[in-house]
Amino acid sequence: MGRVTRRAFTAAALSTLAVARGAQAAPQPPGASAGARGARTVTEMRGMWLASVDNRDWPSRAGLSTARQRGELTALLDAAVRRRLNTVMFQARPAADALWPSPYEPWSRFLTGTQGKDPGWDPLGTAVEEAHARGLRLHAWFNPYRVALHDDPSALVASHPARKHPDWVVRHGGKLYYDPGLPEVRAFVRQAMLDAVRRYPVDGVHFDDYFYPYPVAGQTFDDDASYDRYGGGFTSRADWRRDNIDRLVRETAAGIARVRPGTPFGISPFGVWRNAATDARGSDTKAGAQTYDDLYADTRKWVREGWIDYVVPQLYWNIGFAAADYAALLPWWAEVARGSRTRLYVGEGLYRAGSGAPGSAWRDPGELSRHLALAKKYPEVRGHVFFAAKEVAADPSGALARVVADHYREPASPPR
């Protein structure tokens, strides 16, 4: 199977399809009373990712006016409320840059089209304020190691830390990355991310699936220098790389607890830790990528050891998909989370709804609703997060309207 990742499925066609009136009650804060019927208040995660990288969800393109950018942002937050969601994962650091006035990294080019150019407003601060005004929680979403979607350091703004410290940077697959094997890199990216956590009353801190980069055929990630310097105590480079990522996770969790105590820290990894053919503890899958072996992210250990407060595996496949069956991965993750302190939410590939050949699983607008129905059989599943905001708003296939009608009839407060 080819690599199945969030990156591989971002081309869903958009059209407009109004949500059925019955699925669009007037906006209410999450956790509001279920109404006169006396139904108990539901507690579950109902989230959406709001991606800024490459202008995926927001802003729709770089260089828009402040008023247009703010309007697009609040429209997406309003869409979350209409769908009775309660949490937004807002991508505030998509590529070693910032969507707030950071003293450590430049303004993101996805705002103005020019890296380092002040957009004239504070997107992250505004997102927190506007989310809270609507009764939504906002988790600041950071990508730790991606530097650029190109591989030319000279194209970065002159003040960029990657230009000041070229030894921190590795070219791989046409992109630039910080080297996770350097302690000074870990310290810097942690400092840069925690600046936002310190400044704003965010309701959570979120990482996605990018640690070491996904493999590229015929290429190797060139960390020879850092491995020669720091890898002597390990039996293999793979073990050393996993330890580097483990350290990032533990040190970030400790930093969050120090800067803003009680703020949850969560990660949304690629959905397959290891295939059972590789490791008897793995899932009954035949995925082409495995987080443990390819991204050097031991996501199972982070959950079992309780290093993170929540995990959102990206289960972006349909029920019955041969290489990575949603119905096989869901109970596997439930078993991993069982008895741990880490809450399990499920990442849902809303962007895939309506795609594929006629008659295929994702062309059926009921596929996503069936995911939530299946998840209700596992008490470890505490909710779902949908990728991504653009599709939450447009819902071209009507799949989310079906979810709302079938499962989100009442508002819900997220788990604490």
Side-chain angles (χ1 to χ4, degrees):
M1 180 187 81
R3 186 170 74 248
V4 186
T5 73
R6 172 181 288 166
R7 287 186 304 192
F9 303 110
T10 57
L14 293 177
S15 61
T16 56
L17 180 69
V19 175
R21 179 175 295 275
Q24 292 190 22
Q28 303 178 57
S33 169
R37 293 189 301 275
R40 64 182 178 84
T41 299
V42 176
T43 300
E44 65 178 346
M45 169 61 73
R46 297 179 185 174
M48 76 175 185
W49 282 285
L50 199 163
S52 58
V53 65
D54 213 20
N55 301 106
R56 198 274 174 200
D57 293 319
W58 174 87
S60 59
R61 60 181 174 86
L64 298 176
S65 68
T66 296
R68 177 76 178 276
Q69 289 187 9
R70 289 178 67 115
E72 288 187 352
L73 175 60
T74 55
L76 291 173
L77 299 177
D78 288 340
V81 175
R82 287 198 307 273
R83 311 295 187 183
R84 298 200 182 98
L85 307 184
N86 55 35
T87 303
V88 176
M89 279 61 175
F90 179 83
Q91 192 173 33
R93 185 181 183 266
D97 52 11
L99 272 69
W100 76 95
S102 168
Y104 301 103
E105 293 180 306
W107 282 105
S108 176
R109 70 178 178 88
F110 303 125
L111 295 170
T112 65
T114 302
Q115 189 175 65
K117 183 178 179 181
D118 190 334
W121 67 301
D122 181 353
L124 177 55
T126 300
V128 172
E129 180 180 350
E130 294 288 352
H132 289 172
R134 289 160 173 77
L136 297 166
R137 293 187 185 172
L138 189 135
H139 292 210
W141 166 15
F142 304 107
N143 185 288
Y145 292 126
R146 180 170 55 210
V147 173
L149 302 183
H150 57 78
D151 64 356
D152 180 7
S154 69
L156 301 172
V157 67
S159 61
H160 199 292
R163 294 191 65 175
K164 294 180 177 179
H165 303 278
D167 55 313
W168 288 6
V169 180
V170 178
R171 286 186 174 96
H172 182 74
K175 298 180 176 64
L176 298 175
Y177 299 91
Y178 283 132
D179 184 351
L182 295 173
E184 56 268 36
V185 163
R186 286 200 310 274
F188 172 77
V189 299
R190 187 173 67 253
Q191 183 181 47
M193 294 184 294
L194 290 177
D195 176 68
V197 181
R198 183 180 295 107
R199 285 172 181 254
Y200 304 103
V202 297
D203 303 295
V205 175
H206 189 81
F207 286 177
D208 55 23
D209 53 321
Y210 294 95
F211 296 99
Y212 280 87
Y214 280 90
V216 176
Q219 297 189 28
T220 58
F221 187 80
D222 184 8
D223 55 0
D224 287 351
S226 54
Y227 180 56
D228 288 345
R229 185 173 181 183
Y230 297 108
F234 295 86
T235 58
S236 70
R237 188 180 304 225
D239 286 343
W240 170 72
R241 286 177 173 176
R242 278 186 288 272
D243 183 70
N244 292 331
I245 303 303
D246 284 352
R247 287 173 184 267
L248 171 74
V249 171
R250 293 198 309 269
E251 291 165 359
T252 301
I256 295 166
R258 182 177 65 254
V259 168
R260 192 168 291 279
T263 302
F265 174 38
I267 296 176
S268 57
F270 178 73
V272 176
W273 172 71
R274 298 187 98 183
N275 297 317
T278 305
D279 188 321
R281 298 171 298 171
S283 53
D284 183 15
T285 51
K286 299 178 178 66
Q290 303 170 90
T291 60
Y292 183 92
D293 303 277
D294 297 312
L295 308 182
Y296 306 97
D298 193 350
T299 54
R300 180 181 181 275
K301 178 167 71 175
W302 305 343
V303 174
R304 297 303 303 165
E305 297 293 331
W307 292 353
I308 55 179
D309 298 295
Y310 68 87
V311 66
V312 195
Q314 297 172 26
L315 305 191
Y316 294 168
W317 304 288
N318 58 276
I319 295 171
F321 182 59
D325 187 348
Y326 185 96
L329 282 161
L330 184 71
W332 186 88
W333 278 102
E335 176 61 28
V336 168
R338 189 168 300 141
S340 78
R341 64 171 291 273
T342 303
R343 297 185 295 278
L344 172 62
Y345 313 134
V346 179
E348 301 286 352
L350 173 63
Y351 69 101
R352 302 205 64 193
S355 67
S360 62
W362 285 110
R363 290 294 288 270
D364 181 353
E367 173 68 24
L368 210 58
S369 182
R370 286 192 287 274
H371 290 194
L372 273 69
L374 182 61
K376 286 181 178 178
K377 298 180 180 180
Y378 299 91
E380 294 81 12
V381 177
R382 305 280 297 280
H384 303 260
V385 183
F386 299 93
F387 192 81
K390 185 164 59 175
E391 288 77 15
V392 167
D395 194 23
S397 70
L400 188 57
R402 178 75 171 268
V403 166
V404 173
D406 291 348
H407 304 283
Y408 293 171
R409 293 177 180 270
E410 304 293 346
S413 59
R416 291 188 176 275

